[in-house]
Every structure is written in C-alpha cells, then in structure tokens.
Coordinates of all heavy atoms in Angstrom, one line a residue:
M1 N 32.2 -30.5 174.0 CA 31.9 -29.8 172.7 C 30.3 -29.8 172.7 O 29.7 -30.7 172.9 CB 32.4 -30.5 171.5 CG 32.1 -29.9 170.2 SD 32.8 -30.8 168.9 CE 32.0 -30.2 167.5
S2 N 29.8 -28.6 172.3 CA 28.4 -28.4 172.2 C 28.0 -28.5 170.7 O 28.7 -28.2 169.8 CB 28.0 -27.1 172.7 OG 28.2 -27.0 174.1
W3 N 26.7 -28.9 170.5 CA 26.1 -29.0 169.2 C 24.9 -28.0 169.2 O 24.3 -27.8 170.2 CB 25.6 -30.4 168.9 CG 26.8 -31.3 168.7 CD1 27.5 -32.0 169.6 CD2 27.4 -31.6 167.4 NE1 28.5 -32.7 169.1 CE2 28.5 -32.5 167.7 CE3 27.1 -31.3 166.1 CZ2 29.3 -33.0 166.7 CZ3 27.9 -31.8 165.1 CH2 29.0 -32.7 165.4
Y4 N 24.7 -27.4 168.1 CA 23.7 -26.3 168.0 C 22.7 -26.7 166.9 O 23.0 -27.1 165.8 CB 24.3 -25.0 167.6 CG 25.4 -24.6 168.6 CD1 26.7 -25.0 168.4 CD2 25.1 -23.9 169.8 CE1 27.7 -24.7 169.4 CE2 26.0 -23.6 170.7 CZ 27.3 -24.0 170.5 OH 28.3 -23.7 171.4
V5 N 21.4 -26.5 167.2 CA 20.3 -26.8 166.3 C 19.7 -25.4 165.9 O 19.3 -24.7 166.8 CB 19.2 -27.7 166.8 CG1 18.1 -27.8 165.8 CG2 19.8 -29.0 167.2
V6 N 19.7 -25.1 164.6 CA 19.0 -23.9 164.1 C 17.6 -24.4 163.6 O 17.5 -25.1 162.6 CB 19.8 -23.2 163.0 CG1 19.1 -22.1 162.4 CG2 21.2 -22.8 163.5
Y7 N 16.6 -23.9 164.3 CA 15.2 -24.3 163.9 C 14.7 -23.3 162.9 O 14.0 -23.7 162.0 CB 14.3 -24.3 165.1 CG 14.7 -25.3 166.2 CD1 15.3 -24.9 167.4 CD2 14.5 -26.7 166.0 CE1 15.7 -25.8 168.4 CE2 14.9 -27.6 167.0 CZ 15.5 -27.1 168.2 OH 15.9 -28.0 169.1
C8 N 15.0 -22.1 163.1 CA 14.5 -21.0 162.3 C 15.7 -20.0 162.0 O 16.1 -19.3 162.9 CB 13.3 -20.3 162.9 SG 12.5 -19.1 161.8
G9 N 16.2 -20.1 160.8 CA 17.4 -19.3 160.5 C 17.6 -19.3 159.0 O 16.7 -19.8 158.2
K10 N 18.7 -18.9 158.5 CA 19.0 -18.8 157.1 C 19.0 -20.2 156.5 O 18.3 -20.5 155.5 CB 20.4 -18.2 156.8 CG 20.4 -16.7 157.2 CD 21.8 -16.1 157.1 CE 21.8 -14.7 157.6 NZ 23.2 -14.2 157.7
V11 N 19.7 -21.2 157.1 CA 19.7 -22.6 156.7 C 19.5 -23.4 158.0 O 20.5 -23.6 158.7 CB 21.0 -22.9 156.0 CG1 21.0 -24.4 155.6 CG2 21.3 -22.0 154.8
P12 N 18.3 -23.9 158.3 CA 18.1 -24.7 159.5 C 18.9 -26.0 159.4 O 19.1 -26.5 158.3 CB 16.6 -25.0 159.4 CG 16.0 -23.9 158.5 CD 17.1 -23.6 157.5
G13 N 19.3 -26.5 160.6 CA 20.0 -27.7 160.6 C 20.8 -27.8 161.9 O 20.6 -27.1 162.8
V14 N 21.7 -28.8 162.0 CA 22.6 -29.1 163.1 C 24.0 -28.6 162.8 O 24.5 -29.0 161.7 CB 22.5 -30.6 163.5 CG1 23.4 -30.9 164.6 CG2 21.1 -31.1 163.7
Y15 N 24.5 -27.9 163.7 CA 25.9 -27.3 163.5 C 26.8 -27.7 164.7 O 26.4 -27.7 165.8 CB 25.8 -25.8 163.4 CG 25.0 -25.4 162.1 CD1 23.7 -25.2 162.2 CD2 25.7 -25.3 160.9 CE1 23.0 -24.8 161.0 CE2 25.0 -24.9 159.8 CZ 23.6 -24.7 159.8 OH 22.9 -24.4 158.7
A16 N 28.1 -27.9 164.3 CA 29.1 -28.4 165.3 C 29.7 -27.2 166.1 O 30.3 -27.4 167.1 CB 30.1 -29.2 164.7
T17 N 29.7 -26.0 165.5 CA 30.3 -24.9 166.2 C 29.4 -23.7 166.3 O 28.4 -23.5 165.5 CB 31.5 -24.4 165.3 OG1 31.1 -23.9 164.1 CG2 32.6 -25.5 165.1
W18 N 29.7 -22.9 167.3 CA 28.8 -21.7 167.6 C 29.0 -20.7 166.4 O 28.0 -20.1 166.0 CB 29.2 -21.0 168.9 CG 28.6 -19.7 169.0 CD1 29.3 -18.5 169.1 CD2 27.2 -19.4 169.0 NE1 28.4 -17.5 169.1 CE2 27.1 -18.0 169.1 CE3 26.0 -20.1 169.0 CZ2 25.9 -17.3 169.2 CZ3 24.8 -19.5 169.1 CH2 24.7 -18.1 169.1
A19 N 30.2 -20.6 165.8 CA 30.4 -19.7 164.7 C 29.5 -20.0 163.6 O 28.9 -19.1 163.0 CB 31.8 -19.7 164.3
R20 N 29.3 -21.3 163.2 CA 28.5 -21.6 162.1 C 27.0 -21.4 162.4 O 26.2 -21.0 161.6 CB 28.7 -23.1 161.7 CG 30.1 -23.2 161.0 CD 30.2 -24.6 160.4 NE 31.5 -24.7 159.8 CZ 32.0 -25.7 159.2 NH1 31.2 -26.8 159.1 NH2 33.2 -25.7 158.6
C21 N 26.6 -21.8 163.7 CA 25.3 -21.5 164.1 C 24.9 -20.1 164.1 O 23.9 -19.6 163.6 CB 25.1 -22.1 165.5 SG 23.5 -21.8 166.3
N22 N 25.8 -19.3 164.7 CA 25.6 -17.8 164.7 C 25.5 -17.2 163.3 O 24.7 -16.3 163.1 CB 26.8 -17.2 165.5 CG 26.5 -15.7 165.9 OD1 25.4 -15.4 166.1 ND2 27.6 -15.0 165.9
A23 N 26.3 -17.7 162.4 CA 26.2 -17.2 161.0 C 24.8 -17.4 160.4 O 24.3 -16.7 159.6 CB 27.2 -17.9 160.1
Q24 N 24.1 -18.5 160.9 CA 22.8 -18.8 160.3 C 21.7 -18.0 161.0 O 20.6 -17.8 160.4 CB 22.5 -20.3 160.5 CG 23.5 -21.2 159.8 CD 23.6 -20.9 158.4 OE1 22.7 -20.6 157.6 NE2 24.9 -20.9 157.9
V25 N 21.9 -17.5 162.2 CA 20.8 -16.8 162.9 C 21.0 -15.3 163.0 O 20.1 -14.6 163.1 CB 20.6 -17.4 164.3 CG1 20.2 -18.8 164.3 CG2 21.9 -17.2 165.2
T26 N 22.2 -14.9 162.8 CA 22.5 -13.4 162.8 C 21.8 -12.7 161.7 O 22.0 -13.1 160.5 CB 24.0 -13.1 162.8 OG1 24.6 -13.8 163.9 CG2 24.3 -11.7 162.8
G27 N 21.0 -11.7 162.0 CA 20.3 -10.9 161.0 C 19.0 -11.6 160.5 O 18.4 -11.0 159.6
F28 N 18.7 -12.7 161.0 CA 17.5 -13.4 160.6 C 16.4 -13.1 161.7 O 16.6 -13.5 162.8 CB 17.7 -14.9 160.5 CG 16.6 -15.7 159.8 CD1 16.7 -15.8 158.4 CD2 15.5 -16.2 160.5 CE1 15.7 -16.5 157.8 CE2 14.5 -16.9 159.9 CZ 14.6 -17.0 158.5
K29 N 15.3 -12.5 161.2 CA 14.3 -12.1 162.2 C 13.6 -13.3 162.7 O 13.3 -14.2 162.0 CB 13.3 -11.2 161.4 CG 12.3 -10.5 162.3 CD 11.5 -9.5 161.5 CE 10.5 -8.8 162.4 NZ 9.6 -7.9 161.7
N30 N 13.3 -13.2 164.0 CA 12.6 -14.3 164.7 C 13.3 -15.6 164.6 O 12.7 -16.7 164.5 CB 11.1 -14.5 164.2 CG 10.3 -13.2 164.5 OD1 10.5 -12.6 165.5 ND2 9.4 -12.9 163.5
N31 N 14.6 -15.6 164.8 CA 15.4 -16.8 164.7 C 15.2 -17.7 165.9 O 14.7 -17.2 166.9 CB 16.9 -16.5 164.5 CG 17.5 -15.7 165.7 OD1 17.2 -16.0 166.8 ND2 18.3 -14.8 165.4
S32 N 15.5 -19.0 165.8 CA 15.3 -19.9 166.9 C 16.5 -20.9 166.8 O 16.7 -21.6 165.7 CB 14.0 -20.6 166.7 OG 13.8 -21.6 167.7
Y33 N 17.2 -21.1 167.9 CA 18.2 -22.1 168.0 C 18.4 -22.6 169.4 O 17.9 -22.0 170.3 CB 19.6 -21.5 167.4 CG 20.0 -20.3 168.2 CD1 20.9 -20.5 169.3 CD2 19.6 -19.0 167.9 CE1 21.4 -19.4 170.0 CE2 20.0 -17.9 168.6 CZ 20.9 -18.1 169.7 OH 21.3 -17.0 170.4
K34 N 19.1 -23.7 169.6 CA 19.3 -24.3 170.9 C 20.6 -25.1 170.9 O 21.0 -25.7 169.9 CB 18.1 -25.2 171.3 CG 18.2 -25.7 172.7 CD 17.0 -26.5 173.1 CE 17.1 -27.0 174.5 NZ 16.0 -27.8 174.9
S35 N 21.3 -25.1 172.1 CA 22.5 -25.8 172.2 C 22.2 -27.2 172.9 O 21.4 -27.3 173.7 CB 23.5 -25.0 173.1 OG 24.6 -25.7 173.5
F36 N 23.0 -28.2 172.5 CA 22.9 -29.5 173.1 C 24.3 -30.1 173.4 O 25.3 -29.8 172.7 CB 22.2 -30.5 172.1 CG 20.8 -30.2 171.9 CD1 20.4 -29.3 170.9 CD2 19.8 -30.7 172.7 CE1 19.0 -29.0 170.7 CE2 18.4 -30.4 172.5 CZ 18.1 -29.6 171.5
P37 N 24.4 -30.9 174.4 CA 25.8 -31.4 174.8 C 26.3 -32.5 173.9 O 27.5 -32.6 173.7 CB 25.6 -31.9 176.2 CG 24.1 -32.2 176.3 CD 23.4 -31.2 175.4
I38 N 25.4 -33.2 173.3 CA 25.8 -34.3 172.4 C 25.1 -34.2 171.0 O 24.0 -33.7 171.0 CB 25.7 -35.7 173.0 CG1 24.2 -36.0 173.4 CG2 26.6 -35.9 174.2 CD1 24.0 -37.4 173.8
K39 N 25.8 -34.7 170.0 CA 25.2 -34.7 168.7 C 23.9 -35.4 168.5 O 23.0 -34.9 167.8 CB 26.3 -35.2 167.7 CG 25.9 -35.2 166.2 CD 27.0 -35.7 165.3 CE 26.6 -35.6 163.9 NZ 27.6 -36.2 163.0
E40 N 23.8 -36.6 169.1 CA 22.6 -37.4 169.0 C 21.3 -36.6 169.5 O 20.3 -36.7 168.9 CB 22.7 -38.7 169.7 CG 23.7 -39.7 169.0 CD 25.1 -39.3 169.2 OE1 25.5 -38.6 170.2 OE2 26.0 -39.8 168.4
E41 N 21.5 -35.9 170.6 CA 20.4 -35.1 171.1 C 20.0 -34.0 170.2 O 18.8 -33.7 169.9 CB 20.7 -34.5 172.5 CG 20.7 -35.5 173.6 CD 21.0 -34.8 175.0 OE1 20.8 -33.6 175.1 OE2 21.4 -35.5 175.9
A42 N 21.0 -33.4 169.6 CA 20.7 -32.3 168.7 C 20.0 -32.8 167.4 O 19.0 -32.2 167.0 CB 22.1 -31.6 168.3
E43 N 20.5 -33.9 166.9 CA 19.9 -34.5 165.7 C 18.4 -34.9 166.0 O 17.5 -34.7 165.2 CB 20.7 -35.6 165.2 CG 22.0 -35.2 164.5 CD 22.8 -36.4 164.1 OE1 22.6 -37.5 164.6 OE2 23.7 -36.2 163.2
A44 N 18.2 -35.5 167.2 CA 16.9 -36.0 167.5 C 15.9 -34.8 167.7 O 14.8 -34.9 167.3 CB 16.9 -36.8 168.8
S45 N 16.4 -33.7 168.3 CA 15.6 -32.5 168.4 C 15.2 -31.9 167.1 O 14.1 -31.5 166.9 CB 16.3 -31.5 169.3 OG 15.6 -30.3 169.4
Y46 N 16.2 -31.9 166.2 CA 15.9 -31.3 164.9 C 15.0 -32.2 164.1 O 14.0 -31.7 163.5 CB 17.2 -31.1 164.1 CG 17.1 -30.5 162.7 CD1 16.7 -29.2 162.6 CD2 17.2 -31.3 161.6 CE1 16.5 -28.7 161.3 CE2 17.1 -30.8 160.3 CZ 16.7 -29.4 160.2 OH 16.5 -28.9 159.0
L47 N 15.1 -33.5 164.2 CA 14.2 -34.4 163.4 C 12.8 -34.3 164.0 O 11.8 -34.3 163.3 CB 14.7 -35.8 163.5 CG 16.0 -36.1 162.7 CD1 16.5 -37.5 163.0 CD2 15.7 -36.0 161.2
E48 N 12.7 -34.2 165.3 CA 11.4 -34.0 166.0 C 10.7 -32.7 165.5 O 9.6 -32.7 165.2 CB 11.5 -34.0 167.5 CG 10.2 -33.9 168.2 CD 10.4 -33.9 169.7 OE1 11.4 -34.4 170.2 OE2 9.4 -33.5 170.4
F49 N 11.5 -31.7 165.4 CA 11.0 -30.4 165.0 C 10.5 -30.4 163.5 O 9.5 -29.9 163.2 CB 12.1 -29.3 165.1 CG 11.8 -28.0 164.5 CD1 10.9 -27.1 165.1 CD2 12.3 -27.6 163.3 CE1 10.5 -25.9 164.5 CE2 12.0 -26.4 162.7 CZ 11.1 -25.6 163.3
M50 N 11.3 -31.2 162.7 CA 10.9 -31.3 161.3 C 9.7 -32.3 161.1 O 9.2 -32.4 160.0 CB 12.1 -31.8 160.5 CG 13.2 -30.8 160.4 SD 12.8 -29.2 159.7 CE 12.6 -29.7 158.0
G51 N 9.3 -33.0 162.1 CA 8.2 -33.9 162.0 C 8.6 -35.3 161.5 O 7.8 -36.0 161.0
C52 N 9.9 -35.6 161.6 CA 10.3 -36.9 161.1 C 10.3 -37.9 162.3 O 10.4 -37.6 163.5 CB 11.8 -36.8 160.6 SG 12.0 -35.7 159.3
E53 N 10.1 -39.2 162.0 CA 10.0 -40.2 163.0 C 11.1 -41.3 162.7 O 11.4 -41.5 161.5 CB 8.6 -40.9 163.0 CG 7.5 -40.0 163.3 CD 6.2 -40.7 163.2 OE1 6.1 -41.9 162.9 OE2 5.2 -40.0 163.4
D54 N 11.5 -41.9 163.7 CA 12.5 -43.0 163.6 C 13.8 -42.6 162.9 O 14.3 -43.4 162.1 CB 11.9 -44.2 163.0 CG 10.7 -44.7 163.7 OD1 10.7 -44.6 165.0 OD2 9.7 -45.2 163.1
D55 N 14.2 -41.4 163.1 CA 15.5 -40.9 162.5 C 15.4 -41.0 161.0 O 16.5 -41.1 160.3 CB 16.7 -41.7 163.0 CG 16.9 -41.4 164.5 OD1 16.4 -40.4 165.0 OD2 17.6 -42.3 165.1
K56 N 14.3 -40.9 160.4 CA 14.2 -41.0 158.9 C 13.9 -39.6 158.4 O 12.9 -39.0 158.8 CB 13.1 -41.9 158.4 CG 13.4 -43.4 158.8 CD 12.3 -44.3 158.3 CE 12.6 -45.7 158.7 NZ 11.5 -46.6 158.4
V57 N 14.7 -39.1 157.6 CA 14.5 -37.8 157.0 C 13.9 -38.0 155.6 O 14.5 -38.6 154.8 CB 15.8 -36.9 156.9 CG1 15.5 -35.6 156.2 CG2 16.4 -36.8 158.3
F58 N 12.7 -37.4 155.4 CA 12.1 -37.6 154.1 C 12.5 -36.4 153.2 O 12.1 -35.3 153.5 CB 10.6 -37.7 154.2 CG 10.2 -38.9 155.0 CD1 9.8 -38.7 156.3 CD2 10.2 -40.1 154.5 CE1 9.5 -39.8 157.1 CE2 9.8 -41.2 155.2 CZ 9.4 -41.1 156.5
V59 N 13.2 -36.7 152.2 CA 13.7 -35.6 151.3 C 13.0 -35.7 150.0 O 12.8 -36.8 149.4 CB 15.2 -35.8 151.0 CG1 15.7 -34.7 150.1 CG2 16.0 -35.8 152.3
K60 N 12.4 -34.6 149.6 CA 11.7 -34.5 148.3 C 12.7 -34.7 147.2 O 13.7 -34.0 147.1 CB 11.0 -33.2 148.2 CG 10.2 -33.0 146.9 CD 9.5 -31.7 146.9 CE 8.7 -31.5 145.6 NZ 8.1 -30.2 145.5
P61 N 12.5 -35.6 146.3 CA 13.4 -35.8 145.2 C 13.5 -34.6 144.3 O 12.5 -33.9 144.1 CB 12.9 -37.1 144.5 CG 11.5 -37.1 144.8 CD 11.3 -36.5 146.2
P62 N 14.6 -34.4 143.7 CA 14.7 -33.2 142.7 C 13.8 -33.4 141.5 O 13.5 -34.6 141.2 CB 16.2 -33.2 142.3 CG 16.7 -34.6 142.6 CD 15.9 -35.1 143.7
P63 N 13.4 -32.3 140.9 CA 12.5 -32.5 139.8 C 13.2 -33.2 138.6 O 14.4 -33.1 138.5 CB 12.2 -31.1 139.4 CG 13.2 -30.2 140.0 CD 13.7 -30.9 141.2
K64 N 12.5 -34.0 137.9 CA 13.1 -34.7 136.8 C 13.4 -33.8 135.6 O 12.6 -32.9 135.2 CB 12.1 -35.8 136.3 CG 12.6 -36.7 135.2 CD 11.6 -37.8 134.8 CE 12.1 -38.7 133.8 NZ 11.1 -39.7 133.4
V65 N 14.6 -33.9 135.2 CA 15.1 -33.0 134.1 C 14.7 -33.7 132.8 O 15.1 -34.8 132.5 CB 16.6 -32.8 134.2 CG1 17.1 -31.9 133.0 CG2 17.0 -32.1 135.5
V66 N 14.0 -33.0 132.0 CA 13.6 -33.5 130.7 C 14.5 -33.0 129.6 O 14.7 -31.8 129.4 CB 12.1 -33.0 130.3 CG1 11.7 -33.6 129.0 CG2 11.2 -33.5 131.4
R67 N 15.2 -33.9 129.0 CA 16.2 -33.5 128.0 C 15.7 -33.9 126.7 O 16.0 -35.0 126.2 CB 17.5 -34.2 128.3 CG 18.1 -33.7 129.6 CD 19.6 -34.1 129.7 NE 20.1 -33.7 131.0 CZ 20.8 -32.6 131.2 NH1 21.1 -31.9 130.1 NH2 21.3 -32.3 132.3
N68 N 14.8 -33.1 126.1 CA 14.2 -33.4 124.8 C 14.7 -32.4 123.8 O 13.9 -32.0 122.9 CB 12.7 -33.5 124.9 CG 12.1 -32.2 125.5 OD1 12.8 -31.3 125.8 ND2 10.8 -32.1 125.5
T69 N 15.9 -31.9 123.9 CA 16.4 -30.9 123.0 C 16.4 -31.4 121.6 O 16.1 -30.6 120.7 CB 17.9 -30.5 123.5 OG1 17.8 -30.1 124.8 CG2 18.4 -29.4 122.6
P70 N 16.8 -32.7 121.3 CA 16.8 -33.1 119.9 C 15.4 -33.1 119.3 O 15.2 -32.7 118.2 CB 17.3 -34.6 120.0 CG 18.1 -34.6 121.2 CD 17.5 -33.7 122.1
V71 N 14.4 -33.4 120.1 CA 13.0 -33.4 119.6 C 12.6 -31.9 119.3 O 12.0 -31.7 118.2 CB 12.0 -34.0 120.7 CG1 10.6 -33.8 120.3 CG2 12.3 -35.4 120.9
L72 N 12.9 -31.0 120.1 CA 12.6 -29.6 119.9 C 13.3 -29.1 118.6 O 12.8 -28.3 117.9 CB 13.0 -28.7 121.1 CG 12.2 -29.0 122.3 CD1 12.7 -28.1 123.5 CD2 10.7 -28.7 122.1
F73 N 14.6 -29.6 118.4 CA 15.3 -29.2 117.3 C 14.6 -29.7 116.0 O 14.5 -28.9 115.0 CB 16.8 -29.7 117.3 CG 17.6 -29.3 116.1 CD1 18.0 -28.1 115.9 CD2 17.9 -30.3 115.2 CE1 18.8 -27.7 114.8 CE2 18.6 -30.0 114.1 CZ 19.1 -28.7 113.9
V74 N 14.2 -30.9 116.0 CA 13.5 -31.5 114.8 C 12.2 -30.7 114.6 O 11.9 -30.4 113.4 CB 13.3 -33.0 115.0 CG1 12.4 -33.6 114.0 CG2 14.6 -33.8 115.1
V75 N 11.5 -30.4 115.6 CA 10.2 -29.7 115.4 C 10.5 -28.3 114.8 O 9.8 -27.9 113.9 CB 9.5 -29.5 116.8 CG1 8.4 -28.5 116.6 CG2 9.0 -30.9 117.2
A76 N 11.6 -27.6 115.3 CA 11.9 -26.3 114.7 C 12.3 -26.4 113.2 O 12.0 -25.6 112.4 CB 13.0 -25.7 115.5
V77 N 13.1 -27.5 112.9 CA 13.5 -27.6 111.5 C 12.3 -27.9 110.6 O 12.2 -27.4 109.5 CB 14.6 -28.8 111.4 CG1 14.8 -29.2 110.0 CG2 15.9 -28.4 112.1
V78 N 11.4 -28.8 111.0 CA 10.2 -29.1 110.2 C 9.3 -27.9 110.1 O 8.9 -27.6 109.0 CB 9.4 -30.3 110.9 CG1 8.1 -30.5 110.2 CG2 10.2 -31.6 110.8
Q79 N 9.2 -27.1 111.1 CA 8.4 -25.9 111.0 C 9.0 -24.9 110.0 O 8.3 -24.3 109.2 CB 8.2 -25.3 112.4 CG 7.2 -26.0 113.2 CD 7.0 -25.3 114.6 OE1 7.8 -24.5 115.0 NE2 5.9 -25.6 115.3
S80 N 10.3 -24.8 110.1 CA 11.0 -23.9 109.2 C 10.9 -24.3 107.8 O 10.7 -23.5 106.9 CB 12.5 -23.8 109.6 OG 12.7 -23.3 110.9
F81 N 11.0 -25.6 107.5 CA 10.8 -26.1 106.2 C 9.4 -25.8 105.6 O 9.3 -25.3 104.5 CB 11.0 -27.7 106.2 CG 10.8 -28.3 104.9 CD1 11.6 -28.2 103.8 CD2 9.6 -29.0 104.7 CE1 11.4 -28.7 102.6 CE2 9.3 -29.6 103.5 CZ 10.2 -29.5 102.4
F82 N 8.4 -26.1 106.4 CA 7.0 -25.8 106.0 C 6.8 -24.3 105.7 O 6.2 -23.9 104.8 CB 6.0 -26.3 106.9 CG 5.8 -27.8 106.8 CD1 6.0 -28.6 107.8 CD2 5.3 -28.3 105.6 CE1 5.8 -30.0 107.7 CE2 5.1 -29.7 105.4 CZ 5.4 -30.5 106.5
L83 N 7.5 -23.4 106.5 CA 7.4 -22.0 106.4 C 8.0 -21.6 105.1 O 7.5 -20.8 104.3 CB 8.0 -21.3 107.5 CG 8.0 -19.8 107.5 CD1 6.5 -19.3 107.5 CD2 8.7 -19.2 108.7
L84 N 9.2 -22.2 104.7 CA 9.9 -21.9 103.5 C 9.1 -22.3 102.3 O 9.0 -21.6 101.3 CB 11.3 -22.5 103.5 CG 12.3 -21.8 104.4 CD1 13.6 -22.6 104.4 CD2 12.5 -20.4 103.9
V85 N 8.4 -23.5 102.4 CA 7.6 -24.0 101.3 C 6.4 -23.1 101.1 O 6.1 -22.7 99.9 CB 7.2 -25.5 101.5 CG1 6.1 -25.9 100.6 CG2 8.4 -26.4 101.5
L86 N 5.8 -22.7 102.1 CA 4.6 -21.8 102.1 C 5.0 -20.4 101.5 O 4.4 -19.9 100.6 CB 4.0 -21.6 103.4 CG 2.8 -20.6 103.5 CD1 1.7 -21.2 102.7 CD2 2.4 -20.4 105.0
L87 N 6.2 -19.9 101.9 CA 6.7 -18.7 101.4 C 7.0 -18.8 99.9 O 6.6 -17.9 99.1 CB 7.9 -18.2 102.1 CG 8.5 -16.9 101.8 CD1 7.5 -15.8 102.1 CD2 9.8 -16.7 102.6
W88 N 7.6 -19.9 99.5 CA 7.9 -20.1 98.1 C 6.7 -20.2 97.2 O 6.5 -19.6 96.2 CB 8.8 -21.4 97.9 CG 9.0 -21.8 96.5 CD1 9.9 -21.2 95.6 CD2 8.3 -22.7 95.7 NE1 9.8 -21.8 94.4 CE2 8.8 -22.8 94.4 CE3 7.2 -23.6 96.0 CZ2 8.3 -23.6 93.4 CZ3 6.8 -24.4 95.1 CH2 7.3 -24.4 93.8
F89 N 5.6 -20.9 97.8 CA 4.4 -21.1 97.1 C 3.7 -19.7 96.9 O 3.2 -19.4 95.8 CB 3.5 -22.1 97.8 CG 2.1 -22.3 97.2 CD1 2.1 -23.1 96.0 CD2 1.0 -21.7 97.7 CE1 0.8 -23.3 95.4 CE2 -0.2 -21.9 97.1 CZ -0.3 -22.7 95.9
V90 N 3.6 -18.9 97.9 CA 3.0 -17.6 97.8 C 3.7 -16.7 96.9 O 3.1 -16.0 96.0 CB 2.9 -17.0 99.2 CG1 2.5 -15.5 99.2 CG2 1.9 -17.8 100.1
L91 N 5.1 -16.7 97.0 CA 5.8 -15.8 96.1 C 5.7 -16.3 94.6 O 5.6 -15.4 93.7 CB 7.3 -15.7 96.5 CG 7.5 -15.0 97.8 CD1 9.0 -15.1 98.2 CD2 7.1 -13.5 97.7
A92 N 5.8 -17.6 94.4 CA 5.6 -18.1 93.0 C 4.3 -17.8 92.4 O 4.2 -17.4 91.3 CB 5.9 -19.6 93.0
R93 N 3.3 -17.9 93.2 CA 1.9 -17.6 92.8 C 1.8 -16.1 92.5 O 1.1 -15.7 91.5 CB 0.9 -18.0 93.8 CG -0.4 -18.1 93.3 CD -1.3 -18.8 94.3 NE -2.6 -18.7 93.8 CZ -3.5 -19.7 93.7 NH1 -3.2 -20.9 94.1 NH2 -4.7 -19.5 93.1
C94 N 2.3 -15.2 93.4 CA 2.2 -13.8 93.2 C 3.1 -13.3 91.9 O 2.7 -12.4 91.2 CB 2.7 -13.0 94.4 SG 1.5 -13.2 95.8
Y95 N 4.2 -14.0 91.7 CA 5.0 -13.6 90.6 C 4.3 -13.9 89.3 O 4.4 -13.2 88.3 CB 6.3 -14.4 90.7 CG 7.3 -14.1 89.5 CD1 8.0 -12.9 89.5 CD2 7.5 -15.0 88.5 CE1 8.8 -12.6 88.5 CE2 8.4 -14.7 87.5 CZ 9.0 -13.5 87.5 OH 9.9 -13.2 86.5
N96 N 3.5 -15.0 89.2 CA 2.8 -15.4 88.0 C 1.6 -14.4 87.8 O 1.2 -14.2 86.7 CB 2.2 -16.8 88.1 CG 3.3 -17.8 88.0 OD1 4.4 -17.5 87.5 ND2 3.1 -19.0 88.5
C97 N 1.1 -13.8 88.9 CA 0.0 -12.8 88.8 C 0.5 -11.5 88.1 O -0.3 -10.8 87.6 CB -0.6 -12.6 90.1 SG -1.4 -14.0 90.8
L98 N 1.7 -11.2 88.3 CA 2.2 -9.9 87.8 C 2.4 -9.9 86.4 O 2.7 -10.2 85.4 CB 3.5 -9.5 88.6 CG 3.3 -9.3 90.0 CD1 4.7 -9.0 90.6 CD2 2.4 -8.1 90.4

C-alpha cells in the first residue's frame, strides 16, 4: 500500500489512497505531491516540508471566543434608559414652553 503526501493542493497532508490524494490536487494550479511506500516516510517528509522537527507539529491555537453578551446587553439597556430620560426631559421642557 502506498501513502501520498500533498505538499501543495487544496488541503495539504498525508493521504492513504490515491483517490483522496488526487481529489486534493486535481484542478489545483502548481500542485505538488509524492508517493511513499510506508506511512512513516510520508509523515516524515510532510513534517520536514512544514518545517517541523522531532515529529512535533505546532498548531496555532484557535482564537479565544469572548462571550460577553450579558455585558453588552446591560450596556444597551443602560444606554436606552438614559436616552429615554433625556427624551422625557426635553419633551417635558418643551411642553412647558408652549
């Protein structure tokens, strides 16, 4: 069984079948891939291509999701309250002027 490394394609990586490898390189301009007889060689080649050492893949952690929806809700309510008080004050003052 052969293993395939896609260096430049839709989704670079190591693939176990030609069909999956071919799906990643077909239609991708300037694609690059190579076949290996064993999985370990394919993984080592891919890691070397990615610039990783000692079989360590450095993955950038996902961005931290800030869940401050309650804070935003409170701010919106407070702003709305002050807007209503200001509107009431202006209308009451104008009503007295008439």
Side-chain angles (χ1 to χ4, degrees):
M1 178 177 168
S2 294
W3 290 84
Y4 304 90
V5 176
V6 175
Y7 300 105
C8 188
K10 296 174 186 171
V11 180
V14 179
Y15 295 91
T17 65
W18 168 245
R20 290 188 178 181
C21 174
N22 191 33
Q24 301 306 318
V25 296
T26 301
F28 194 88
K29 189 175 181 180
N30 298 325
N31 62 40
S32 177
Y33 60 93
K34 186 176 179 183
S35 172
F36 291 91
I38 59 173
K39 182 179 181 181
E40 288 76 18
E41 285 183 22
E43 289 175 340
S45 177
Y46 180 69
L47 289 173
E48 182 181 342
F49 171 75
M50 295 300 291
C52 300
E53 298 177 3
D54 301 327
D55 296 337
K56 294 179 182 175
V57 178
F58 299 101
V59 179
K60 182 179 177 183
K64 186 176 179 182
V65 177
V66 179
R67 297 192 182 261
N68 56 358
T69 305
V71 174
L72 294 176
F73 178 74
V74 170
V75 169
V77 169
V78 169
Q79 285 181 341
S80 299
F81 174 75
F82 282 120
L83 182 61
L84 288 174
V85 169
L86 179 65
L87 185 61
W88 174 79
F89 181 74
V90 169
L91 289 176
R93 195 170 175 131
C94 289
Y95 182 73
N96 291 334
C97 293
L98 294 176

